Amino acid sequence: MVSGGKTIMGIVQPRKIRVLPKDVVDRIAAGEVVQRPSSVAKELIENSLDADSHSIDIQCTNGGLNLLSITDDGCGISKNDLSLAAVRFATSKLQEFDDLKSIETFGFRGEALASASMVSRLTISSRRRPRPISKESPSSSKGNTNCAYKQTYRDGKPTTTKPTPSAGNYGTVVKVEDLFYNIPSRRNAFEGTKRETEEYNKILEVAQRYAIHKSAIGVSFTCGGKKKQKSFQCDLNTQSLTNVKKARLVPSNKRHKTPVFVAEEKGKNDPLRESSQQSNTTEGDSVVEAACREVIGHIYGSSVARELLVVRGLEGDVNAVNLASLQAMKEKEYQNCAPSSVQQPSQQNSRNHNS
């Protein structure tokens, strides 16, 4: 069905079907991936996690509209690959269709950086971490291990033919500046002190969730922002947490399962349940559990962290969480139904002795 077009002499002329230009298609696709500053932060954090980062720093100005910067200490991007970093469907995580069956990364399509470059001024500075020498690659493929290289992008393309050398540590720094500068209607929707504060809180919430989820493997997060005419403030910092550092040293084969936490009622003491959990707990599990609990306490408070019940199961094991939640509800109901007049044995014996 073709929609109506111009009206000539009272007759509506049908519009012709045309193929959209590539720049229009790319901007429409970018709008689906980059809906708001917090969605950009989510995509960039996942890229850092896919790069095996142990430390991720998020900084933003005016709710991420003026600046959103993600710094990690991951494997980095080689100098030769920087020209393709913001090209649509250019990725290092996927080579053929069958690779989707064993994909283990957050993203694989190669659209995050490309979409960000369509609606902002994107800059990537990266220094490749040296790889150990092996029989398969005796040269160790040094790449840009001596210094970092910087590249800027617009509309999915680098603005210069070659990246320029720059100072930098191992890892990658991605800066998204002037977000939605070429889409005034969308930028206006996020401008204003109240809206920028709300968007910063969304970015902080994204960082907090990944900080809890990835504390089991020792990934630390910092997140802060700067508002108009105000100094920078840091609202999340798990880098100094002791148990997070310890979890980073636990080998993957020493981790039994990733702990899942559900709310626990105060005063629970079930020796049978505790002994069954402890029997399947390794030393690595204890460190991982302590790291997760420490990060939760850092974000939500120590009182919340103390009232958590540990459920050991595979990631996404909904049944384990449901069963533990039902058990907690049953115990709560039993405690509420127990008559308050029932005296503790120690109290009863002491009264009999006094009489």
Side-chain angles (χ1 to χ4, degrees):
M1 181 177 180
V2 181
S3 59
K6 297 181 180 179
T7 302
I8 301 176
M9 299 181 64
I11 301 175
V12 178
Q13 302 296 321
R15 296 177 180 174
K16 294 183 178 180
I17 299 177
R18 295 184 177 88
V19 178
L20 291 175
K22 185 179 183 302
D23 60 335
V24 177
V25 174
D26 290 340
R27 290 194 179 184
I28 293 174
E32 296 175 356
V33 177
V34 182
Q35 298 178 353
R36 57 196 314 151
S38 58
S39 62
V40 184
K42 173 184 176 297
E43 296 290 342
L44 298 182
I45 289 174
E46 290 180 350
N47 279 352
S48 296
L49 292 172
D50 289 340
D52 296 328
S53 303
H54 289 147
S55 176
I56 300 175
D57 176 67
I58 303 105
Q59 297 184 11
C60 57
T61 304
N62 297 342
L65 288 179
N66 289 3
L67 172 66
L68 177 61
S69 174
I70 309 290
T71 304
D72 65 55
D73 62 349
C75 62
I77 305 172
S78 66
K79 173 185 175 182
N80 298 329
D81 289 343
L82 278 174
S83 60
L84 296 174
V87 176
R88 287 191 69 195
F89 307 122
T91 178
S92 62
K93 306 168 186 177
L94 188 69
Q95 293 184 353
E96 54 187 26
F97 184 78
D98 290 339
D99 292 341
L100 289 172
K101 299 177 182 179
S102 58
I103 198 77
E104 295 181 354
T105 57
F106 284 99
F108 56 88
R109 295 179 300 176
E111 285 191 293
L113 294 174
S115 299
S117 70
M118 295 289 177
V119 293
S120 70
R121 309 182 195 278
L122 178 67
T123 304
I124 300 177
S125 177
S126 187
R127 182 179 179 183
R128 186 77 173 178
R129 189 176 293 278
R131 292 177 291 177
I133 299 176
S134 62
K135 294 181 180 180
E136 290 77 8
S137 57
S139 62
S140 181
S141 183
K142 290 185 178 180
N144 52 308
T145 59
N146 295 327
C147 68
Y149 284 85
K150 181 186 293 185
Q151 182 74 70
T152 56
Y153 307 85
R154 298 291 182 277
D155 298 329
K157 299 177 182 179
T159 57
T160 57
T161 56
K162 294 181 179 180
T164 58
S166 65
N169 298 322
Y170 293 122
T172 304
V173 180
V174 180
K175 291 185 178 181
V176 177
E177 299 177 277
D178 298 331
L179 187 61
F180 301 131
Y181 75 97
N182 52 357
I183 310 178
S185 59
R186 181 166 293 191
R187 186 177 177 89
N188 292 337
F190 296 105
E191 287 184 331
T193 303
K194 181 179 179 181
R195 294 173 181 174
E196 291 172 3
T197 302
E198 291 176 353
E199 199 58 33
Y200 169 72
N201 291 333
K202 290 181 181 294
I203 295 173
L204 178 62
E205 183 180 0
V206 171
Q208 289 173 340
R209 291 185 177 184
Y210 280 104
I212 295 174
H213 180 60
K214 290 301 178 179
S215 61
I217 59 176
V219 180
S220 60
F221 282 77
T222 56
C223 181
K226 182 179 179 182
K227 301 176 183 178
K228 295 179 179 178
Q229 299 179 351
K230 291 186 178 180
S231 59
F232 178 84
Q233 62 180 22
C234 183
D235 296 303
L236 173 67
N237 187 356
T238 64
Q239 289 186 353
S240 59
L241 300 183
T242 304
N243 291 311
V244 174
K245 295 179 181 178
K246 291 181 179 179
R248 190 178 303 171
L249 303 177
V250 177
S252 58
N253 58 352
K254 297 293 184 180
R255 298 188 183 98
H256 182 250
K257 290 180 179 179
T258 302
V260 181
F261 292 90
V262 296
E264 179 185 20
E265 296 299 322
K266 291 182 177 180
K268 286 185 179 179
N269 292 310
D270 189 346
L272 294 178
R273 184 180 63 190
E274 290 179 358
S275 61
S276 63
Q277 288 185 352
Q278 292 175 359
S279 61
N280 294 326
T281 302
T282 64
E283 183 178 355
D285 290 333
S286 301
V287 175
V288 169
E289 176 189 331
C292 293
R293 193 181 292 273
E294 189 175 26
V295 174
I296 293 174
H298 172 74
I299 296 173
Y300 299 108
S302 57
S303 59
V304 175
R306 286 195 299 267
E307 300 176 14
L308 293 175
L309 170 66
V310 181
V311 181
R312 301 201 176 277
L314 295 175
E315 185 175 348
D317 192 350
V318 180
N319 291 331
V321 177
N322 290 339
L323 291 174
S325 301
L326 289 174
Q327 180 68 19
M329 292 173 62
K330 288 181 180 180
E331 292 184 4
K332 180 180 179 181
E333 184 178 357
Y334 175 78
Q335 292 176 357
N336 293 336
C337 295
S340 58
S341 59
V342 177
Q343 298 178 354
Q344 297 294 334
S346 59
Q347 296 178 353
Q348 184 68 30
N349 292 336
S350 62
R351 290 188 178 184
N352 293 337
H353 178 72
N354 293 333
S355 62

